[in-house]
Amino acid sequence: MAQERKKVVVLGAGYAGLQTVTKLQKQLPKDEAEITLINKNDYHYESTLLHEASVGTRSYEDIIYPISSAINEDKVNFIKGEVTKIDRNAKKVETDAGVFNFDILVVALGFEPETFGIDGMKDYAFQIENILTARKLSRHIEDKFANYAASKDKDDKDLAILVGGAGFTGIEFLGELTERVPELCNKYGVDPNKVKITCVEAMSKILPQFSEELVNYAVNYLEERGIEFRIGTPITATNEKGFVVKVGDDEKEEQLEANTTVWAAGVRGNHIMDDAFEGVKRGRIINSQDLTIDGYDDIFVIGDCSAFIPEGEERPLPTTAQIAMQQGEHTAKNIELLLHGQPTVPFNFVNRGTVCSLGQHDGIGTVYGKDIKGKKASFLKKVIDTRSIFKLGGIGLAYKKGKF
């Protein structure tokens, strides 16, 4: 009698989950495991390019592709469904498309915006979260320029954009705005000097992962193109007018006004994590060194839901696509070891560097310990983007998406 195949269930088809599945389907023969991938959409989107789709410098269609184009359907069952509950002890996952039992579970459910309890932020500010929010925001920005051009009683706030957060996402979003705004001004006959873009950041320094020289380069680049920075300025509330901020040592409050308000200052892991496991903070759980979780050697948590602290260090690694994809690759390797009755091995992150774009043709970065900026950084960002598509979907998909 043939031995029943082990059920491997992967939740989420972002960078971490999809990398796990694409590696497993190459490593395992068909009869060794029953692999199920569950995702609420039938497409994968490149979350590292959401800022471009949110501004409108790139079409949202350019950053998505069908999950079916990356998986081998002879080896992987794809289920379009939204996860509603994980029962770790009963070894089952509940979704709006049914209940799925597992022998090995991979939780890679991705991120959600984190508003840190700021009053009104969820109600009045756009979030850079997914394809739907990106489409909504890019349409809104253009609508405001069109409305300004068509109105007799012109409202300057239609040309004002407030961006909360000067971290990675905020800076990349601002970089795209410096390219999109001139296009919109030209299209609608708007005076570029009327446009006011303000970035508000509570911390005293932007992009803390980069050197002072690179940060100064980014700030100067953006300021020369009309971006105003309000650094060391906490946002206390968001309303229909814009941001309310604290100003000065006496902490007086000031209302900043704009008809476009964007929140780009924080993410957390998926809310499903909060009820599924103990010790979860902001949707993230501390892993064991092999990427499983304490007490469950058959449950892996990776990507944005993971708080992986390398051996001997004190702080978790940041949640980046580079780390998520390496975790996915390593998880596939450990699942193969588990299926063969062998001990799992610890995850070792190889930091190849980080690049932050400043629009389509400029950027800053640190690659293998060396600082880079300008066109070289921009080129490397595109190389990284191409590599991720290639690793997930192969040369055919990379070619189809115009990466070569």
Side-chain angles (χ1 to χ4, degrees):
M1 184 177 169
Q3 188 176 356
E4 190 176 342
R5 292 187 300 165
K6 293 281 190 183
K7 291 180 169 66
V8 178
V9 175
V10 179
L11 308 181
Y15 292 110
L18 197 55
Q19 179 73 101
T20 304
V21 167
T22 55
K23 285 294 176 185
L24 279 176
Q25 69 188 11
K26 288 177 185 172
Q27 291 168 199
L28 300 178
K30 187 178 178 180
D31 58 359
E32 193 155 329
E34 182 184 329
I35 304 169
T36 301
L37 173 62
I38 303 173
N39 195 61
K40 65 180 177 182
N41 303 309
D42 57 8
Y43 56 83
H44 166 91
Y45 61 88
E46 296 175 80
S47 57
T48 56
L49 300 177
L50 274 177
H51 59 285
E52 296 182 24
S54 297
V55 172
T57 48
R58 189 191 292 248
S59 164
Y60 77 92
E61 287 125 326
D62 288 344
I63 71 167
I64 66 173
Y65 54 85
I67 288 168
S68 60
S69 66
I71 62 172
N72 179 346
E73 292 176 332
D74 286 338
K75 290 186 172 182
V76 178
N77 309 313
F78 173 64
I79 304 295
K80 183 182 176 184
E82 187 161 3
V83 177
T84 53
K85 184 181 179 183
I86 299 168
D87 190 331
R88 64 189 189 277
N89 295 318
K91 302 190 100 171
K92 67 180 183 180
V93 175
E94 296 177 17
T95 78
D96 59 7
V99 177
F100 300 87
N101 298 310
F102 65 84
D103 296 301
I104 297 172
L105 180 67
V106 180
V107 183
L109 285 169
F111 71 88
E112 298 173 354
E114 172 61 271
T115 59
F116 305 107
I118 298 173
D119 187 46
M121 190 64 80
K122 285 182 179 172
D123 298 321
Y124 295 107
F126 287 92
Q127 320 283 323
I128 301 174
E129 182 178 2
N130 54 42
I131 289 296
L132 298 178
T133 62
R135 293 179 69 184
K136 193 174 174 186
L137 177 51
S138 64
R139 280 200 302 262
H140 171 88
I141 291 170
E142 180 154 2
D143 285 347
K144 289 301 162 192
F145 277 77
N147 186 62
Y148 180 87
S151 299
K152 288 182 180 177
D153 301 321
K154 298 195 184 300
D155 183 357
D156 286 347
K157 291 193 291 294
D158 278 343
L159 302 180
I161 301 172
L162 288 170
V163 178
F168 216 90
T169 302
I171 294 299
E172 291 201 317
F173 181 79
L174 292 166
E176 296 302 315
L177 276 177
T178 65
E179 298 197 3
R180 182 66 171 148
V181 164
E183 290 175 3
L184 292 173
C185 287
N186 188 48
K187 182 175 180 178
Y188 293 105
V190 170
D191 179 0
N193 294 314
K194 289 277 191 183
V195 179
K196 185 176 183 189
I197 303 170
T198 309
C199 177
V200 184
E201 169 57 56
M203 304 295 285
S204 58
K205 184 189 175 188
I206 74 167
L207 297 174
Q209 66 268 57
F210 292 120
S211 68
E212 192 172 342
E213 182 187 347
L214 289 183
V215 170
N216 289 339
Y217 178 89
V219 170
N220 291 338
Y221 180 94
L222 294 170
E223 285 182 339
E224 283 171 7
R225 287 155 182 80
I227 308 296
E228 179 190 340
F229 285 94
R230 300 281 298 266
I231 306 299
T233 306
I235 300 167
T236 58
T238 309
N239 53 35
E240 66 279 358
K241 292 180 180 178
F243 290 145
V244 179
V245 300
K246 282 185 179 176
V247 184
D249 295 334
D250 55 2
E251 297 199 335
K252 285 184 179 175
E253 290 195 332
E254 178 187 347
Q255 174 76 58
L256 305 181
E257 297 192 8
N259 286 346
T260 303
T261 306
V262 181
W263 176 245
V267 295
R268 50 159 285 149
N270 192 288
H271 67 277
I272 294 292
M273 293 289 297
D274 299 337
D275 294 326
F277 305 105
E278 277 95 32
V280 173
K281 291 181 181 175
R282 291 176 57 203
R284 300 176 72 193
I285 191 169
I286 294 174
N287 306 77
S288 302
Q289 289 300 303
D290 65 354
L291 299 177
T292 60
I293 56 172
D294 190 30
Y296 296 87
D297 59 7
D298 49 15
I299 298 179
F300 297 85
V301 180
I302 56 178
D304 295 296
C305 296
S306 152
F308 179 77
I309 304 173
E311 192 78 59
E313 296 190 22
E314 295 180 2
R315 295 179 61 81
L317 294 175
T319 54
T320 68
Q322 179 186 189
I323 293 168
M325 290 185 72
Q326 287 189 33
Q327 286 183 332
E329 202 164 341
H330 192 82
T331 297
K333 178 181 177 182
N334 272 342
I335 289 172
E336 185 179 19
L337 291 171
L338 276 180
L339 291 171
H340 293 166
Q342 296 174 349
T344 56
V345 293
F347 172 63
N348 177 38
F349 171 56
V350 179
N351 188 357
R352 297 187 176 96
T354 307
V355 181
C356 177
S357 66
L358 300 171
Q360 298 295 307
H361 309 290
D362 220 296
I364 59 171
T366 305
V367 179
Y368 290 114
K370 283 185 69 175
D371 282 0
I372 57 170
K373 56 182 184 280
K375 286 189 169 68
K376 184 187 278 190
S378 177
F379 173 75
L380 267 168
K381 178 82 173 177
K382 292 177 175 70
V383 169
I384 292 164
D385 168 33
T386 300
R387 187 173 184 272
S388 70
I389 287 270
F390 175 75
K391 281 179 73 70
L392 292 172
I395 194 165
L397 182 63
Y399 185 80
K400 188 178 177 184
K401 298 304 287 183
K403 303 298 183 184
F404 292 106

